[in-house]
Amino acid sequence: MRVLVVDAALGLCTAGVFAVENGVARPLGLRSAAMAKGHQERLAGMVRDAAAEAGGFAGIDRIGVTVGPGSFTGLRVGLAFAQGLGAALGRPVAGVSTLDALAASVDGEGATAALIDARRGQVYARFWRDGAAQGPAEALSIEAAKARARRLGPEVRLIGSGAALVADEGMAAFDLAGPSPEALARLAAAADPAASPPRPLYLRAPDATPPSRLPGQPRPPAP
């Protein structure tokens, strides 16, 4: 299967085409750059170049896109582009959890915690033991995440931008800016597009709030 992956959820902007067979993803065309903002301007060109390197869009069987948690703006850019491209090519689009892809970016068995710095004293987190998820993705306080990581034992691997916030002494922390493109391709190829739709995954309400009055409306009197 040939899979095109699109990721703009975190600190990387990634577009890649992979041949995936028996759980192994072989890159055919890949573009990836560290990027805190500007995904909207760069993503289309990166997808175009990655696809051209892989021989064009015609051979692509499926598109995979990260659905979050992650940056609100980056998620919307990646999801909108992937869905538009899928509609144009007539290809299915599968959503991939950012946390699941982070965990899949590190080889090996044992206990794993995928952690994204969510600011405001929180992390987005999901925990695994020997490949089995120990519950759903959650928004946790740093102290709660530390307690969960400790219960998995000192050999737990902490992965993602929130790893350093949660790590106790002796724990292995991998501060990845984003999931590996190979991990994204493997998960996208294994996913059922009908059961993994490209819909954003938000674990808490947005920081922005709607305005309390319309433009030109007078402010309410002070109590």
Side-chain angles (χ1 to χ4, degrees):
M1 177 185 291
R2 282 198 177 197
V3 179
L4 167 65
V5 294
V6 174
D7 175 30
L10 298 174
L12 291 178
C13 188
T14 294
V17 179
F18 290 82
V20 184
E21 186 174 356
N22 298 322
V24 177
R26 179 170 59 87
L28 303 176
L30 180 60
R31 298 292 184 274
S32 188
M35 197 178 303
K37 58 183 179 179
H39 302 83
Q40 186 169 355
E41 291 78 14
R42 295 283 304 279
L43 181 59
M46 294 172 75
V47 171
R48 176 200 62 212
D49 293 346
E53 188 176 318
F57 290 104
I60 292 169
D61 300 299
R62 177 180 297 180
I63 299 170
V65 59
T66 44
V67 298
S71 155
F72 178 85
T73 302
L75 281 179
R76 303 304 294 193
V77 168
L79 284 163
F81 187 90
Q83 290 180 73
L85 184 61
L89 297 176
R91 301 292 189 273
V93 182
V96 177
S97 159
T98 315
L99 291 168
D100 291 6
L102 281 170
S105 299
V106 178
D107 294 330
E109 297 296 323
T112 303
L115 302 154
I116 298 170
D117 184 0
R119 314 297 182 188
R120 298 193 298 175
Q122 289 186 315
V123 290
Y124 300 130
R126 197 174 191 194
F127 303 88
W128 288 263
R129 187 184 293 280
D130 295 328
Q134 305 296 293
E138 302 174 80
L140 299 174
S141 70
I142 291 173
E143 286 307 313
K146 281 180 178 283
R148 292 280 295 276
R150 288 189 200 105
R151 288 203 293 271
L152 290 173
E155 301 303 316
V156 63
R157 297 167 301 170
L158 311 179
I159 303 157
S161 61
L165 299 173
V166 173
D168 277 341
E169 186 176 353
M171 290 182 177
F174 301 87
D175 184 7
L176 301 185
S180 78
E182 291 80 5
L184 288 171
R186 292 196 307 270
L187 292 178
D192 176 0
S196 304
R199 296 179 188 150
L201 173 62
Y202 301 125
L203 298 181
R204 73 180 185 202
D207 294 336
T209 57
S212 58
R213 59 191 177 90
L214 296 173
Q217 242 184 0
R219 294 180 183 276

